[in-house]
Amino acid sequence: MQRRGALFGMPGGSGGRKMAAGDIGELLVPHMPTIRVPRSGDRVYKNECAFSYDSPNSEGGLYVCMNTFLAFGREHVERHFRKTGQSVYMHLKRHVREKVRGASGGALPKRRNSKIFLDTDDDLNSDDYEYEDEAKLVIFPDHYEIALPNIEELPALVTIACDAVLSSKSPYRKQDPDTWENELPVSKYANNLTQLDNGVRIPPSGWKCARCDLRENLWLNLTDGSVLCGKWFFDSSGGNGHALEHYRDMGYPLAVKLGTITPDGADVYSFQEEEPVLDPHLAKHLAHFGIDMLHMHGTENGLQDNDIKLRVSEWEVIQESGTKLKPMYGPGYTGLKNLGNSCYLSSVMQAIFSIPEFQRAYVGNLPRIFDYSPLDPTQDFNTQMTKLGHGLLSGQYSKPPVKSELIEQVMKEEHKPQQNGISPRMFKAFVSKSHPEFSSNRQQDAQEFFLHLVNLVERNRIGSENPSDVFRFLVEERIQCCQTRKVRYTERVDYLMQLPVAMEAATNKDELIAYELTRREAEANRRPLPELVRAKIPFSACLQAFSEPENVDDFWSSALQAKSAGVKTSRFASFPEYLVVQIKKFTFGLDWVPKKFDVSIDMPDLLDINHLRARGLQPGEEELPDISPPIVIPDDSKDRLMNQLIDPSDIDESSVMQLAEMGFPLEACRKAVYFTGNMGAEVAFNWIIVHMEEPDFAEPLTMPGYGGAASAGASVFGASGLDNQPPEEIVAIITSMGFQRNQAIQALRATNNNLERALDWIFSHPEFEEDSDFVIEMENNANANIISEAKPEGPRVKDGSGTYELFAFISHMGTSTMSGHYICHIKKEGRWVIYNDHKVCASERPPKDLGYMYFYRRIPS
């Protein structure tokens, strides 16, 4: 047994004193009710701290709580003990030593080591090093140690619990390669599936349900090629169940979800077996309808076999191969290990945490965020963002090897492994949770992940602070009706600028034509392919293409009360503080093979888009009347539509909340349910899709005959708010966040029952912190409840000059966003740095012309 000084290497630490078996049992008796045996479904974290990237390899080892099975490094275990009162932890430490060499210089035969029970992400070659894992129980607050195994002295329950923790599997099993993709059963209908020879060919885009107007959650029946919508889900994917109805009518069992088809497979569902399945003949079944997956099959690097020679230059140029790059260490120069096609996430997060606003919001608030984290910090977005940001920026996990340390390690025959980047497993597991694509091991689109991350930041604000506002800007859309010549101006929020590739403006057209003719001749005669010729596109041409008018075929002309053709132009109604530019390099061919425009664009270091500032309604322009299009109700629901608007107090609040949980504004959800006559969330969802781009989409519901607009909070929950008595539903939501009831009522009364403003009011009145009960509830709540000073209300855009400077860009190598590799370049301390997964080096030739996403910061005027 040892005391605290010995465990933490503190002065005065001694070897401790031994205790008899009876003493150990007596010591554990008070803590026995808190020691649990992991059950099926429990996540046991024994490789990574919840707040840092400490592991059993770290100098202080790792502490696993024997009640929650969360793990903590030496710097954070005390926080968990103080917050929860849990006293018993299992301390895990891995010792790494270089193997003893024989006379011939080779390693001696391996010795069987029974003390290896940890499955860590070691970068060391197991043929050169040997491991010894050490486990012991530690009892807080006195830090008593009990060595393991200790069957004779420990109570049976404790021994069973310890064995279960040590033998537990990784909580990230579903993320690990080759462990979850094969869990799906092979459909019994796949081998002998009947496919009708009806001439159906499926285009690569523009799909629509054959029985309704839905354009998402669509499924292709693999027997007759019908495209129909799926079931209704409350994860933003709506449907009317027409694919299931078609199966019941025809009996065709298998369908594949459009939009999920990749070179590695797709989402296939068996209606007969009532579960997702694998179709080993999917490529053949899709080819029947003109979808070619065989050409999409990639090599290990995601390249087509016949494209390796063509695109090898892209890989070499972007990765700066052939150049001796100097490794970079220290704060801000920490790499991220690749978990298997996770480079899209790594590249985006490196760029995000190079922005000061994100650094301040998370790393700058680290003590408060960690102190107010929920009891399970692995399931809290702000905690995991802060953990990742600190891991990247602290320099703690990016230290260069020191010669004196290496000599000392050799003398002691003990190896202290240098941290070679950090593993974002815990972060990826949380941010990709419930997302069908990001939770897989398939390659993803970095632009889509960027928007997904912004959405998570928006939904998990730290008090009134929202770092994603630096990307937020307003777009003014002007649509002119081709028949009446009248115009309509609307504004919408966006977070990135999508720049089209102006292929027609290539400056080397003759060279491209000659290359294409030579390539076709070489393929026809089976000769070696010619060296790749890349199209050179002026940036000015792409910017001009962005600002050109766009034809709109299904524009609702309120003057005609019918759909009409229109012409749409888009301008910046505000300029963001940080401008993200995406080059639209990717498209699909008619054969469904993803194609990438192989282009070089001379992206400028200094960007001026002030000429794209919106001008608003111009003299001589006549606005279209503000009349909304009629609500389209499915035929089978028309007989349920009421002849008059419902009483606002009768609005179906369950439908409102179902829609709100999908991420839509509460006011919009209430209006959707109201104007569709309480016909359910499915019909209301269709209303939202039709109206979501209208300028008053999220404005409070104006109820005819009820005295104008209801207050924001009241309109959500069906209370008129005339007496300013807060509705119980809103009070319940605030109290469920951990606040006191009297505090919730006072805040709602002060803000006219506006839920969002009431929360800001609570944050700006921290005197309630003095109540101990409130503090306890706060500690059990999410980080959104961190008390901070509220900022004055105002527009959530940071408008200013449209002049920018390039500071980062993300490049993609490969034929499509579903394969290949991503790399990030960031300008730090006056020089460019390349972030290639865990490798961080000074860049010698940053390939700014081959980027996919560009990050610009505003130049102060």
Side-chain angles (χ1 to χ4, degrees), residues 28 43 374 434 441 554 648 655 709 763 791 846:
L28 286 170
R43 293 187 296 265
S434 302
N441 270 330
D554 56 352
S655 296
F763 295 148
K791 296 181 180 178

Side-chain angles (χ1 to χ4, degrees), residues 497-505 537-550 568 570-571 612:
M497 176 186 186
Q498 293 185 307
L499 207 62
V501 176
M503 291 295 294
E504 67 282 356
I537 312 295
F539 170 77
S540 57
C542 298
L543 197 61
Q544 177 64 31
F546 170 83
S547 60
E548 288 180 353
E550 174 186 353
K568 180 174 72 174
S570 299
R571 293 289 187 274
L612 296 178

Side-chain angles (χ1 to χ4, degrees), residues 735-802:
T735 56
S736 70
M737 296 178 180
F739 300 107
Q740 294 180 339
R741 176 178 173 82
N742 60 343
Q743 186 182 21
I745 293 175
Q746 186 175 353
L748 289 168
R749 284 176 174 172
T751 57
N752 197 24
N753 295 338
N754 184 304
L755 177 59
E756 183 174 356
R757 290 173 53 206
L759 291 174
D760 283 338
W761 186 94
I762 292 174
F763 295 148
S764 63
H765 293 74
E767 60 269 18
F768 284 91
E769 278 189 305
E770 299 174 0
D771 191 315
S772 61
D773 292 336
F774 170 62
V775 173
I776 292 174
E777 291 297 326
M778 281 285 292
E779 290 181 342
N780 290 329
N781 198 18
N783 281 322
N785 299 331
I786 293 178
I787 295 178
S788 61
E789 294 183 1
K791 296 181 180 178
E793 290 190 14
R796 287 184 50 209
V797 293
K798 300 178 181 291
D799 197 9
S801 169

Side-chain angles (χ1 to χ4, degrees), residues 309-314 515 529-534 598:
K309 291 183 180 179
L310 286 174
R311 297 189 178 272
V312 67
S313 60
E314 179 185 55
Y515 161 76
L529 297 177
E531 184 178 350
L532 176 70
V533 175
R534 181 171 289 117
D598 201 336

Side-chain angles (χ1 to χ4, degrees), residues 144-353:
Y144 283 110
E145 295 181 18
I146 304 173
L148 297 175
N150 197 336
I151 300 176
E152 295 80 6
E153 299 179 322
L154 289 177
L157 174 65
V158 178
T159 300
I160 294 172
C162 291
D163 288 344
V165 168
L166 292 175
S167 61
S168 61
K169 301 298 182 183
S170 168
Y172 310 114
R173 187 175 66 90
K174 191 172 182 180
Q175 285 192 40
D176 293 337
D178 303 324
T179 59
W180 74 278
E181 298 284 359
N182 295 328
E183 292 179 359
L184 296 178
V186 175
S187 173
K188 62 182 179 181
Y189 299 100
N191 289 336
N192 300 304
L193 182 70
T194 300
Q195 292 192 283
L196 303 184
D197 190 11
N198 53 11
V200 172
R201 291 294 181 269
I202 306 299
S205 60
W207 318 299
K208 188 178 75 170
C209 177
R211 299 190 184 183
C212 65
D213 291 330
L214 288 185
R215 296 179 179 271
E216 60 178 18
N217 193 19
L218 299 177
W219 294 76
L220 169 67
N221 190 286
L222 291 176
T223 294
D224 64 357
S226 297
V227 175
L228 300 158
C229 61
K231 295 187 296 183
W232 170 257
F233 296 105
F234 293 106
D235 61 351
S236 301
S237 57
N240 296 316
H242 290 141
L244 179 60
E245 290 181 8
H246 184 68
Y247 160 71
R248 290 171 178 168
D249 294 340
M250 308 302 297
Y252 301 150
L254 298 184
V256 60
K257 187 174 183 180
L258 295 176
T260 68
I261 301 171
T262 73
D264 301 315
D267 293 345
V268 181
Y269 189 82
S270 172
F271 296 108
Q272 178 66 34
E273 296 159 288
E274 297 184 342
E275 63 178 340
V277 296
L278 292 177
D279 178 2
H281 309 292
L282 183 59
K284 170 188 172 184
H285 293 155
L286 290 174
H288 183 80
F289 300 108
I291 304 173
D292 188 352
M293 283 185 64
L294 296 180
H295 269 74
M296 297 167 63
H297 185 72
T299 64
E300 182 179 359
N301 288 329
L303 292 177
Q304 299 177 25
D305 292 335
N306 60 353
D307 262 355
I308 293 179
K309 291 183 180 179
L310 286 174
R311 297 189 178 272
V312 67
S313 60
E314 179 185 55
W315 286 75
E316 290 180 345
V317 172
I318 292 177
Q319 295 187 103
E320 302 188 49
S321 301
T323 305
K324 188 176 182 180
L325 301 178
K326 178 184 177 182
M328 304 287 285
Y329 300 97
Y333 299 106
T334 303
L336 288 166
K337 296 179 182 178
N338 197 318
L339 307 178
N341 286 328
S342 63
C343 51
Y344 67 92
L345 178 148
S346 300
S347 297
V348 170
M349 297 315 300
Q350 293 284 10
I352 287 292
F353 275 113

Side-chain angles (χ1 to χ4, degrees), residues 31-51:
H31 309 294
M32 290 295 289
T34 67
I35 298 176
R36 292 200 305 118
V37 177
R39 298 188 300 266
S40 175
D42 281 338
R43 293 187 296 265
V44 179
Y45 298 90
K46 58 180 184 179
N47 294 327
E48 180 183 352
C49 172
F51 292 109

